[in-house]
Amino acid sequence: MKIFQRVMTFKPECLSSGLEAVTNTVEYMNANSAQTWFGWQVLAGMPVGTIAVSTRADSWASLAETQAGMRADPGYMERGNKVLEMPCCPAQDWVMNPIAGAGNMPEAPEILVNTINRAPFHKLADAIELNQEFCQMITDIAGTPSAAMMTTLGETNPSFALLLYYNSIAQYEERNTPEVWSMIGNSPLQERGRTIFEEGSGLQTVNRRIA
């Protein structure tokens, strides 16, 4: 399985129209392709106006086949080209490999928390194992479904994403208390992470599903 994600940040004057355009495009993609697509609005952790579109595919080959079919669809191209007029800089694509999961994954979560770290290649195996253990620990502590994925593409070293799924922003608040974060922060896994991941490479965002 592959996880595809396209991340873009809209120009200030396109914040509202960009959100509407992405929502409209994702709805069209879901109605006219074999893939299930999601649209996300970053609520905190990245620049205002940051949006993402994501999907799960059986393989990169099947994803490429779907994308080729969409590019041949005038209805998609009209909507997609409208979206591409609005970002303040080129979009960033990610194709990641799932490496772990814990808890019952919701089909369409309302809130997604994404924590990204990088690790050097010579610590790749340690980073995979640590992410797998982190998934289980977080789900055991707070009951939150979680998943981990990785890619060697992009920045200099492999990137790892830890995803947490919530049914609402209220549920996110309820499960992310100082007590919970103290338990996670004081865990031996957190200490191991400091020896594996690049210092200063961490990024965490809270995202709302818009489509």
Side-chain angles (χ1 to χ4, degrees), residues 28-123:
Y28 184 89
M29 291 158 67
N30 281 326
N32 293 276
S33 79
Q35 300 286 137
T36 299
W37 300 85
F38 298 95
W40 304 94
Q41 176 191 19
V42 177
L43 299 180
M46 292 185 76
V48 173
T50 301
I51 301 291
V53 175
S54 67
T55 190
R56 293 186 287 264
D58 292 335
S59 66
W60 201 334
S62 65
L63 174 63
E65 185 177 343
T66 297
Q67 290 173 316
M70 290 164 54
R71 287 193 294 271
D73 179 351
Y76 166 74
M77 292 303 297
E78 179 183 357
R79 291 164 174 80
N81 287 336
K82 181 178 180 180
V83 171
L84 291 178
E85 294 173 356
M86 301 181 186
C88 62
C89 54
Q92 171 74 53
D93 283 355
W94 294 94
V95 178
M96 306 193 83
N97 300 288
I99 57 174
N104 295 319
M105 301 293 173
E107 290 189 10
E110 291 299 318
I111 298 294
L112 173 67
V113 175
N114 189 2
T115 303
I116 299 175
N117 285 285
R118 289 198 308 271
F121 265 100
H122 69 279
K123 295 183 178 180

Side-chain angles (χ1 to χ4, degrees), residues 97-101 119-136 148-152 158-162 189 192 196-197:
N97 300 288
I99 57 174
F121 265 100
H122 69 279
K123 295 183 178 180
L124 185 62
D126 292 334
I128 291 174
E129 181 181 6
L130 182 64
N131 272 274
Q132 292 168 341
E133 294 180 40
F134 251 117
C135 270
Q136 193 62 58
M149 50 195 71
M150 65 157 293
T151 182
T152 58
S159 295
F160 293 83
L162 181 64
L189 293 183
R192 278 172 55 197
I196 294 173
F197 295 123

Side-chain angles (χ1 to χ4, degrees), residues 183-195:
M183 294 173 67
I184 294 172
N186 292 330
S187 72
L189 293 183
Q190 193 73 21
E191 187 61 34
R192 278 172 55 197
R194 295 189 186 97
T195 68

